[in-house]
PDB file of all heavy atoms in Angstrom:
ATOM      1  N   VAL A   1     288.825 -15.028  77.196  1.00  0.00           N
ATOM      2  CA  VAL A   1     289.100 -16.459  77.338  1.00  0.00           C
ATOM      3  C   VAL A   1     290.116 -16.854  76.278  1.00  0.00           C
ATOM      4  O   VAL A   1     290.534 -16.038  75.452  1.00  0.00           O
ATOM      5  CB  VAL A   1     287.811 -17.296  77.166  1.00  0.00           C
ATOM      6  CG1 VAL A   1     286.869 -17.102  78.341  1.00  0.00           C
ATOM      7  CG2 VAL A   1     287.101 -16.945  75.854  1.00  0.00           C
ATOM      8  N   ALA A   2     290.515 -18.116  76.289  1.00  0.00           N
ATOM      9  CA  ALA A   2     291.463 -18.588  75.285  1.00  0.00           C
ATOM     10  C   ALA A   2     291.199 -20.046  74.941  1.00  0.00           C
ATOM     11  O   ALA A   2     290.716 -20.826  75.778  1.00  0.00           O
ATOM     12  CB  ALA A   2     292.903 -18.424  75.779  1.00  0.00           C
ATOM     13  N   ILE A   3     291.528 -20.390  73.697  1.00  0.00           N
ATOM     14  CA  ILE A   3     291.466 -21.767  73.204  1.00  0.00           C
ATOM     15  C   ILE A   3     292.913 -22.204  72.993  1.00  0.00           C
ATOM     16  O   ILE A   3     293.631 -21.616  72.184  1.00  0.00           O
ATOM     17  CB  ILE A   3     290.696 -21.839  71.877  1.00  0.00           C
ATOM     18  CG1 ILE A   3     289.286 -21.288  72.055  1.00  0.00           C
ATOM     19  CG2 ILE A   3     290.668 -23.266  71.350  1.00  0.00           C
ATOM     20  CD1 ILE A   3     288.598 -20.958  70.737  1.00  0.00           C
ATOM     21  N   ALA A   4     293.364 -23.201  73.737  1.00  0.00           N
ATOM     22  CA  ALA A   4     294.770 -23.576  73.737  1.00  0.00           C
ATOM     23  C   ALA A   4     294.964 -25.025  73.312  1.00  0.00           C
ATOM     24  O   ALA A   4     294.153 -25.900  73.643  1.00  0.00           O
ATOM     25  CB  ALA A   4     295.365 -23.375  75.130  1.00  0.00           C
ATOM     26  N   ARG A   5     296.058 -25.253  72.587  1.00  0.00           N
ATOM     27  CA  ARG A   5     296.484 -26.633  72.332  1.00  0.00           C
ATOM     28  C   ARG A   5     297.641 -26.911  73.278  1.00  0.00           C
ATOM     29  O   ARG A   5     298.693 -26.264  73.214  1.00  0.00           O
ATOM     30  CB  ARG A   5     296.911 -26.833  70.884  1.00  0.00           C
ATOM     31  CG  ARG A   5     297.391 -28.263  70.636  1.00  0.00           C
ATOM     32  CD  ARG A   5     297.535 -28.595  69.173  1.00  0.00           C
ATOM     33  NE  ARG A   5     298.077 -29.939  68.994  1.00  0.00           N
ATOM     34  CZ  ARG A   5     298.066 -30.606  67.850  1.00  0.00           C
ATOM     35  NH1 ARG A   5     297.530 -30.054  66.762  1.00  0.00           N
ATOM     36  NH2 ARG A   5     298.580 -31.811  67.773  1.00  0.00           N
ATOM     37  N   HIS A   6     297.436 -27.890  74.150  1.00  0.00           N
ATOM     38  CA  HIS A   6     298.417 -28.192  75.189  1.00  0.00           C
ATOM     39  C   HIS A   6     298.579 -29.706  75.293  1.00  0.00           C
ATOM     40  O   HIS A   6     297.603 -30.420  75.562  1.00  0.00           O
ATOM     41  CB  HIS A   6     297.945 -27.612  76.528  1.00  0.00           C
ATOM     42  CG  HIS A   6     298.838 -27.908  77.680  1.00  0.00           C
ATOM     43  ND1 HIS A   6     300.122 -27.395  77.795  1.00  0.00           N
ATOM     44  CD2 HIS A   6     298.650 -28.677  78.791  1.00  0.00           C
ATOM     45  CE1 HIS A   6     300.671 -27.824  78.910  1.00  0.00           C
ATOM     46  NE2 HIS A   6     299.799 -28.603  79.536  1.00  0.00           N
ATOM     47  N   GLU A   7     299.791 -30.169  75.029  1.00  0.00           N
ATOM     48  CA  GLU A   7     300.103 -31.605  75.099  1.00  0.00           C
ATOM     49  C   GLU A   7     299.131 -32.420  74.248  1.00  0.00           C
ATOM     50  O   GLU A   7     298.634 -33.465  74.666  1.00  0.00           O
ATOM     51  CB  GLU A   7     300.110 -32.074  76.559  1.00  0.00           C
ATOM     52  CG  GLU A   7     301.199 -31.393  77.386  1.00  0.00           C
ATOM     53  CD  GLU A   7     301.192 -31.833  78.845  1.00  0.00           C
ATOM     54  OE1 GLU A   7     300.229 -32.517  79.257  1.00  0.00           O
ATOM     55  OE2 GLU A   7     302.164 -31.495  79.566  1.00  0.00           O
ATOM     56  N   GLY A   8     298.843 -31.883  73.056  1.00  0.00           N
ATOM     57  CA  GLY A   8     298.022 -32.602  72.103  1.00  0.00           C
ATOM     58  C   GLY A   8     296.532 -32.527  72.334  1.00  0.00           C
ATOM     59  O   GLY A   8     295.762 -33.172  71.619  1.00  0.00           O
ATOM     60  N   ARG A   9     296.101 -31.725  73.304  1.00  0.00           N
ATOM     61  CA  ARG A   9     294.672 -31.581  73.596  1.00  0.00           C
ATOM     62  C   ARG A   9     294.255 -30.124  73.426  1.00  0.00           C
ATOM     63  O   ARG A   9     295.066 -29.210  73.576  1.00  0.00           O
ATOM     64  CB  ARG A   9     294.354 -32.028  75.022  1.00  0.00           C
ATOM     65  CG  ARG A   9     294.623 -33.500  75.310  1.00  0.00           C
ATOM     66  CD  ARG A   9     294.181 -33.836  76.715  1.00  0.00           C
ATOM     67  NE  ARG A   9     294.912 -33.042  77.710  1.00  0.00           N
ATOM     68  CZ  ARG A   9     294.385 -32.568  78.835  1.00  0.00           C
ATOM     69  NH1 ARG A   9     293.105 -32.783  79.104  1.00  0.00           N
ATOM     70  NH2 ARG A   9     295.115 -31.883  79.681  1.00  0.00           N
ATOM     71  N   ILE A  10     292.986 -29.917  73.134  1.00  0.00           N
ATOM     72  CA  ILE A  10     292.425 -28.577  73.069  1.00  0.00           C
ATOM     73  C   ILE A  10     291.759 -28.263  74.391  1.00  0.00           C
ATOM     74  O   ILE A  10     290.913 -29.018  74.884  1.00  0.00           O
ATOM     75  CB  ILE A  10     291.403 -28.455  71.919  1.00  0.00           C
ATOM     76  CG1 ILE A  10     292.113 -28.624  70.577  1.00  0.00           C
ATOM     77  CG2 ILE A  10     290.678 -27.110  71.972  1.00  0.00           C
ATOM     78  CD1 ILE A  10     293.166 -27.567  70.259  1.00  0.00           C
ATOM     79  N   LEU A  11     292.155 -27.132  74.983  1.00  0.00           N
ATOM     80  CA  LEU A  11     291.631 -26.716  76.278  1.00  0.00           C
ATOM     81  C   LEU A  11     290.947 -25.360  76.167  1.00  0.00           C
ATOM     82  O   LEU A  11     291.419 -24.470  75.454  1.00  0.00           O
ATOM     83  CB  LEU A  11     292.763 -26.611  77.309  1.00  0.00           C
ATOM     84  CG  LEU A  11     293.646 -27.842  77.523  1.00  0.00           C
ATOM     85  CD1 LEU A  11     294.735 -27.519  78.536  1.00  0.00           C
ATOM     86  CD2 LEU A  11     292.804 -29.030  77.992  1.00  0.00           C
ATOM     87  N   ALA A  12     289.859 -25.209  76.872  1.00  0.00           N
ATOM     88  CA  ALA A  12     289.198 -23.917  77.022  1.00  0.00           C
ATOM     89  C   ALA A  12     289.620 -23.341  78.369  1.00  0.00           C
ATOM     90  O   ALA A  12     289.384 -23.968  79.407  1.00  0.00           O
ATOM     91  CB  ALA A  12     287.684 -24.084  76.966  1.00  0.00           C
ATOM     92  N   VAL A  13     290.265 -22.177  78.353  1.00  0.00           N
ATOM     93  CA  VAL A  13     290.772 -21.599  79.596  1.00  0.00           C
ATOM     94  C   VAL A  13     290.261 -20.171  79.766  1.00  0.00           C
ATOM     95  O   VAL A  13     289.921 -19.488  78.800  1.00  0.00           O
ATOM     96  CB  VAL A  13     292.315 -21.609  79.660  1.00  0.00           C
ATOM     97  CG1 VAL A  13     292.853 -23.025  79.602  1.00  0.00           C
ATOM     98  CG2 VAL A  13     292.920 -20.769  78.557  1.00  0.00           C
ATOM     99  N   THR A  14     290.205 -19.744  81.002  1.00  0.00           N
ATOM    100  CA  THR A  14     289.804 -18.375  81.319  1.00  0.00           C
ATOM    101  C   THR A  14     291.002 -17.452  81.149  1.00  0.00           C
ATOM    102  O   THR A  14     292.141 -17.896  80.971  1.00  0.00           O
ATOM    103  CB  THR A  14     289.297 -18.276  82.753  1.00  0.00           C
ATOM    104  OG1 THR A  14     290.384 -18.579  83.666  1.00  0.00           O
ATOM    105  CG2 THR A  14     288.147 -19.246  83.007  1.00  0.00           C
ATOM    106  N   ARG A  15     290.743 -16.165  81.223  1.00  0.00           N
ATOM    107  CA  ARG A  15     291.835 -15.194  81.112  1.00  0.00           C
ATOM    108  C   ARG A  15     292.911 -15.443  82.169  1.00  0.00           C
ATOM    109  O   ARG A  15     294.099 -15.326  81.897  1.00  0.00           O
ATOM    110  CB  ARG A  15     291.278 -13.775  81.267  1.00  0.00           C
ATOM    111  CG  ARG A  15     292.345 -12.699  81.195  1.00  0.00           C
ATOM    112  CD  ARG A  15     291.732 -11.321  81.291  1.00  0.00           C
ATOM    113  NE  ARG A  15     292.729 -10.305  81.001  1.00  0.00           N
ATOM    114  CZ  ARG A  15     292.434  -9.059  80.696  1.00  0.00           C
ATOM    115  NH1 ARG A  15     291.179  -8.666  80.631  1.00  0.00           N
ATOM    116  NH2 ARG A  15     293.386  -8.183  80.449  1.00  0.00           N
ATOM    117  N   ALA A  16     292.493 -15.819  83.370  1.00  0.00           N
ATOM    118  CA  ALA A  16     293.448 -16.062  84.444  1.00  0.00           C
ATOM    119  C   ALA A  16     294.262 -17.329  84.224  1.00  0.00           C
ATOM    120  O   ALA A  16     295.280 -17.541  84.886  1.00  0.00           O
ATOM    121  CB  ALA A  16     292.731 -16.137  85.782  1.00  0.00           C
ATOM    122  N   GLY A  17     293.817 -18.190  83.306  1.00  0.00           N
ATOM    123  CA  GLY A  17     294.575 -19.392  82.993  1.00  0.00           C
ATOM    124  C   GLY A  17     294.013 -20.679  83.547  1.00  0.00           C
ATOM    125  O   GLY A  17     294.621 -21.738  83.380  1.00  0.00           O
ATOM    126  N   TYR A  18     292.854 -20.627  84.199  1.00  0.00           N
ATOM    127  CA  TYR A  18     292.240 -21.842  84.734  1.00  0.00           C
ATOM    128  C   TYR A  18     291.330 -22.482  83.693  1.00  0.00           C
ATOM    129  O   TYR A  18     290.842 -21.814  82.776  1.00  0.00           O
ATOM    130  CB  TYR A  18     291.434 -21.513  85.994  1.00  0.00           C
ATOM    131  CG  TYR A  18     292.254 -20.916  87.102  1.00  0.00           C
ATOM    132  CD1 TYR A  18     292.173 -19.561  87.390  1.00  0.00           C
ATOM    133  CD2 TYR A  18     293.123 -21.703  87.853  1.00  0.00           C
ATOM    134  CE1 TYR A  18     292.937 -18.990  88.407  1.00  0.00           C
ATOM    135  CE2 TYR A  18     293.885 -21.155  88.870  1.00  0.00           C
ATOM    136  CZ  TYR A  18     293.796 -19.800  89.145  1.00  0.00           C
ATOM    137  OH  TYR A  18     294.559 -19.250  90.141  1.00  0.00           O
ATOM    138  N   LEU A  19     291.109 -23.773  83.823  1.00  0.00           N
ATOM    139  CA  LEU A  19     290.165 -24.432  82.930  1.00  0.00           C
ATOM    140  C   LEU A  19     288.794 -23.777  83.065  1.00  0.00           C
ATOM    141  O   LEU A  19     288.326 -23.502  84.169  1.00  0.00           O
ATOM    142  CB  LEU A  19     290.066 -25.919  83.270  1.00  0.00           C
ATOM    143  CG  LEU A  19     291.271 -26.795  82.898  1.00  0.00           C
ATOM    144  CD1 LEU A  19     291.074 -28.209  83.433  1.00  0.00           C
ATOM    145  CD2 LEU A  19     291.467 -26.830  81.380  1.00  0.00           C
ATOM    146  N   ALA A  20     288.145 -23.559  81.925  1.00  0.00           N
ATOM    147  CA  ALA A  20     286.817 -22.940  81.955  1.00  0.00           C
ATOM    148  C   ALA A  20     285.835 -23.778  82.752  1.00  0.00           C
ATOM    149  O   ALA A  20     284.915 -23.244  83.380  1.00  0.00           O
ATOM    150  CB  ALA A  20     286.320 -22.726  80.531  1.00  0.00           C
ATOM    151  N   THR A  21     286.026 -25.088  82.757  1.00  0.00           N
ATOM    152  CA  THR A  21     285.116 -25.972  83.501  1.00  0.00           C
ATOM    153  C   THR A  21     285.265 -25.842  85.011  1.00  0.00           C
ATOM    154  O   THR A  21     284.422 -26.354  85.756  1.00  0.00           O
ATOM    155  CB  THR A  21     285.343 -27.437  83.100  1.00  0.00           C
ATOM    156  OG1 THR A  21     286.742 -27.743  83.217  1.00  0.00           O
ATOM    157  CG2 THR A  21     284.875 -27.690  81.684  1.00  0.00           C
ATOM    158  N   SER A  22     286.313 -25.167  85.488  1.00  0.00           N
ATOM    159  CA  SER A  22     286.482 -24.964  86.932  1.00  0.00           C
ATOM    160  C   SER A  22     285.904 -23.637  87.389  1.00  0.00           C
ATOM    161  O   SER A  22     285.930 -23.325  88.576  1.00  0.00           O
ATOM    162  CB  SER A  22     287.968 -25.038  87.306  1.00  0.00           C
ATOM    163  OG  SER A  22     288.663 -23.884  86.836  1.00  0.00           O
ATOM    164  N   SER A  23     285.361 -22.847  86.455  1.00  0.00           N
ATOM    165  CA  SER A  23     284.832 -21.529  86.787  1.00  0.00           C
ATOM    166  C   SER A  23     283.505 -21.640  87.524  1.00  0.00           C
ATOM    167  O   SER A  23     282.706 -22.550  87.278  1.00  0.00           O
ATOM    168  CB  SER A  23     284.625 -20.728  85.495  1.00  0.00           C
ATOM    169  OG  SER A  23     283.905 -19.536  85.745  1.00  0.00           O
ATOM    170  N   PRO A  24     283.208 -20.696  88.404  1.00  0.00           N
ATOM    171  CA  PRO A  24     281.898 -20.671  89.065  1.00  0.00           C
ATOM    172  C   PRO A  24     280.800 -20.066  88.190  1.00  0.00           C
ATOM    173  O   PRO A  24     279.643 -20.042  88.597  1.00  0.00           O
ATOM    174  CB  PRO A  24     282.152 -19.796  90.301  1.00  0.00           C
ATOM    175  CG  PRO A  24     283.245 -18.868  89.879  1.00  0.00           C
ATOM    176  CD  PRO A  24     284.135 -19.682  88.970  1.00  0.00           C
ATOM    177  N   PHE A  25     281.170 -19.589  86.988  1.00  0.00           N
ATOM    178  CA  PHE A  25     280.217 -18.883  86.143  1.00  0.00           C
ATOM    179  C   PHE A  25     279.745 -19.757  84.990  1.00  0.00           C
ATOM    180  O   PHE A  25     280.546 -20.375  84.288  1.00  0.00           O
ATOM    181  CB  PHE A  25     280.828 -17.593  85.604  1.00  0.00           C
ATOM    182  CG  PHE A  25     281.278 -16.648  86.682  1.00  0.00           C
ATOM    183  CD1 PHE A  25     282.630 -16.446  86.919  1.00  0.00           C
ATOM    184  CD2 PHE A  25     280.345 -15.994  87.485  1.00  0.00           C
ATOM    185  CE1 PHE A  25     283.051 -15.593  87.924  1.00  0.00           C
ATOM    186  CE2 PHE A  25     280.756 -15.144  88.493  1.00  0.00           C
ATOM    187  CZ  PHE A  25     282.108 -14.936  88.716  1.00  0.00           C
ATOM    188  N   ALA A  26     278.433 -19.747  84.766  1.00  0.00           N
ATOM    189  CA  ALA A  26     277.834 -20.577  83.716  1.00  0.00           C
ATOM    190  C   ALA A  26     278.394 -20.239  82.342  1.00  0.00           C
ATOM    191  O   ALA A  26     278.571 -21.125  81.500  1.00  0.00           O
ATOM    192  CB  ALA A  26     276.320 -20.404  83.729  1.00  0.00           C
ATOM    193  N   MET A  27     278.680 -18.957  82.084  1.00  0.00           N
ATOM    194  CA  MET A  27     279.157 -18.563  80.757  1.00  0.00           C
ATOM    195  C   MET A  27     280.437 -19.299  80.372  1.00  0.00           C
ATOM    196  O   MET A  27     280.647 -19.624  79.202  1.00  0.00           O
ATOM    197  CB  MET A  27     279.388 -17.051  80.697  1.00  0.00           C
ATOM    198  CG  MET A  27     280.413 -16.530  81.672  1.00  0.00           C
ATOM    199  SD  MET A  27     280.586 -14.722  81.581  1.00  0.00           S
ATOM    200  CE  MET A  27     281.606 -14.412  83.035  1.00  0.00           C
ATOM    201  N   HIS A  28     281.313 -19.586  81.341  1.00  0.00           N
ATOM    202  CA  HIS A  28     282.560 -20.281  81.046  1.00  0.00           C
ATOM    203  C   HIS A  28     282.320 -21.755  80.753  1.00  0.00           C
ATOM    204  O   HIS A  28     283.014 -22.354  79.928  1.00  0.00           O
ATOM    205  CB  HIS A  28     283.544 -20.124  82.208  1.00  0.00           C
ATOM    206  CG  HIS A  28     284.090 -18.744  82.333  1.00  0.00           C
ATOM    207  ND1 HIS A  28     284.123 -18.055  83.524  1.00  0.00           N
ATOM    208  CD2 HIS A  28     284.619 -17.895  81.405  1.00  0.00           C
ATOM    209  CE1 HIS A  28     284.651 -16.867  83.338  1.00  0.00           C
ATOM    210  NE2 HIS A  28     284.954 -16.746  82.059  1.00  0.00           N
ATOM    211  N   HIS A  29     281.350 -22.356  81.398  1.00  0.00           N
ATOM    212  CA  HIS A  29     281.036 -23.757  81.133  1.00  0.00           C
ATOM    213  C   HIS A  29     280.438 -23.919  79.741  1.00  0.00           C
ATOM    214  O   HIS A  29     280.730 -24.906  79.049  1.00  0.00           O
ATOM    215  CB  HIS A  29     280.088 -24.288  82.214  1.00  0.00           C
ATOM    216  CG  HIS A  29     280.752 -24.434  83.550  1.00  0.00           C
ATOM    217  ND1 HIS A  29     281.262 -25.639  84.003  1.00  0.00           N
ATOM    218  CD2 HIS A  29     281.019 -23.514  84.513  1.00  0.00           C
ATOM    219  CE1 HIS A  29     281.803 -25.453  85.199  1.00  0.00           C
ATOM    220  NE2 HIS A  29     281.670 -24.172  85.528  1.00  0.00           N
ATOM    221  N   VAL A  30     279.640 -22.959  79.316  1.00  0.00           N
ATOM    222  CA  VAL A  30     279.104 -23.001  77.954  1.00  0.00           C
ATOM    223  C   VAL A  30     280.243 -22.809  76.955  1.00  0.00           C
ATOM    224  O   VAL A  30     280.276 -23.454  75.900  1.00  0.00           O
ATOM    225  CB  VAL A  30     278.008 -21.936  77.757  1.00  0.00           C
ATOM    226  CG1 VAL A  30     277.467 -21.989  76.328  1.00  0.00           C
ATOM    227  CG2 VAL A  30     276.870 -22.147  78.749  1.00  0.00           C
TER     228      VAL A  30
END
């Protein structure tokens, strides 16, 4: 996974580049 600063915000993203909150897996939401 990755922790990114993008346009002044901190985002949690998956390896593929999607928001972790859009993942079907509970581990990404945590």
Side-chain angles (χ1 to χ4, degrees):
V1 290
I3 302 164
R5 178 167 176 166
H6 177 67
E7 297 179 350
R9 297 184 299 144
I10 294 297
L11 305 178
V13 299
T14 64
R15 179 177 189 163
Y18 300 105
L19 288 174
T21 52
S22 72
S23 170
F25 301 109
M27 60 182 170
H28 289 131
H29 290 263
V30 180

